[in-house]
């Protein structure tokens, strides 16, 4: 694949609904990251996978947020019982595990909770 | 906890000028530092990455420097063009298993034609 892809690009949910956001990393990239970006702010780290193992989930804001990467490639970020404060752009990034560890980002999913 | 500050928050300059964007951080124990640009409604594009052991990196009209002892990095843009208009973000990786990036809030740059 040419780069990191994310779907859907836009999602509107009613408060209380569950949503699932998908990330396809660059082929062969071992590490995968999720970030949340509020309007006018820099991205905030949510969680990190190395292959299928979730090594760091310290940034997840509540137990309503859950991420998985069962086969070590595609990842899904799930938000249960969405609330208005969950409205943000959700960015996914991937990197190789080499010395450089440069992160490459997808276009993001803009989530709006009404 | 690592904190990243970017100054200025916004900058507007005429085309052709050379300019410097600043990034400061509180914890010098970093693995690497990345500069990104973000266009409205888009994801992040990686511009330059500086490893902890390096002092600077160059790509075309862009030069980034890193001074860990003072907790600072600068992004130098030479001969600015209207196409350089974007938000520029500085981000640090602490390493040691904590590979998630810590970002500043960005500098919103406008280059006037």
């Amino acid at each position: 694949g040419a780069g990191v892809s994310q779907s859907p690009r836009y999602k509107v949910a009613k408060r209380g609904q569950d949503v699932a956001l998908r990330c396809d990393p660059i082929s062969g990239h071992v590490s995968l990251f999720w970030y949340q970006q509020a309007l006018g702010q820099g991205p905030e780290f949510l969680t990190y996978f190395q292959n299928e193992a979730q090594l760091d989930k310290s940034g997840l804001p509540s137990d309503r947020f859950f991420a998985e990467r069962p086969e070590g490639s595609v990842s899904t970020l799930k938000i249960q019982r969405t609330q208005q404060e969950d409205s943000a752009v959700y960015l996914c990034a991937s990197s190789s595990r080499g010395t450089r560890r440069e992160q490459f980002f997808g276009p993001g999913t803009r989530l709006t909770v009404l | 906890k690592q904190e990243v500050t970017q100054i200025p928050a916004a900058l507007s300059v005429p085309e052709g000028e050379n300019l410097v964007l600043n990034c400061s951080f509180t914890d010098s124990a970093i693995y690497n530092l990345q500069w990104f640009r973000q266009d409205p409604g888009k994801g992040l594009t990686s511009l330059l990455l500086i490893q902890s052991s390096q002092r600077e990196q160059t790509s075309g009209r862009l030069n980034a420097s890193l001074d860990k002892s003072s907790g600072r990095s600068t992004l130098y843009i030479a001969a600015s063009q209207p196409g350089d208009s974007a938000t520029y973000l500085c981000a640090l990786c602490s390493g040691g298993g904590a590979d998630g990036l810590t970002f500043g809030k960005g500098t919103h740059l406008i280059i006037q034609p």
Side-chain angles (χ1 to χ4, degrees), chain B residues 9-33:
Chain B
L11 182 63
S12 180
V13 300
E15 179 179 5
E17 284 199 6
N18 302 324
L19 53 97
V20 175
L21 307 183
N22 296 292
C23 171
S24 63
F25 48 94
T26 55
D27 187 348
S28 62
I30 66 171
Y31 185 85
N32 64 37
L33 181 148

Side-chain angles (χ1 to χ4, degrees), chain A residues 8-103:
Chain A
R9 290 293 315 280
Y10 303 91
K11 177 69 178 178
V12 178
K14 293 182 179 179
R15 190 173 53 183
Q17 284 185 333
D18 298 348
V19 298
L21 312 180
R22 176 187 170 106
C23 173
D24 283 83
I26 292 172
S27 179
H29 275 190
V30 169
S31 301
L32 185 147
F33 305 83
W34 284 97
Y35 296 86
Q36 180 190 59
Q37 186 175 25
L39 190 64
Q41 303 294 313
E44 296 270 352
F45 169 77
L46 294 177
T47 187
Y48 155 53
F49 291 86
Q50 187 174 327
N51 295 307
E52 69 279 4
Q54 190 174 18
L55 298 186
D56 187 352
K57 54 182 181 179
S58 61
L60 296 176
S62 78
D63 58 7
R64 296 186 297 104
F65 287 71
F66 172 76
E68 60 183 5
R69 194 186 185 197
E71 298 179 358
S73 55
V74 171
S75 177
T76 303
L77 176 66
K78 298 179 179 178
I79 309 174
Q80 297 176 325
R81 305 181 303 281
T82 53
Q83 300 178 4
Q84 284 189 320
E85 59 262 33
D86 299 336
S87 295
V89 175
Y90 291 85
L91 296 164
C92 176
S94 70
S95 73
S96 63
R97 192 55 186 164
T99 305
R100 193 167 162 82
R101 301 188 197 174
E102 185 173 7
Q103 293 191 24

Side-chain angles (χ1 to χ4, degrees), chain B residues 45-57:
Chain B
T45 300
S46 181
L47 298 173
L48 289 164
L49 180 147
I50 308 177
Q51 301 278 49
S52 175
S53 59
Q54 297 174 326
R55 296 281 294 184
E56 67 177 337
Q57 284 288 309

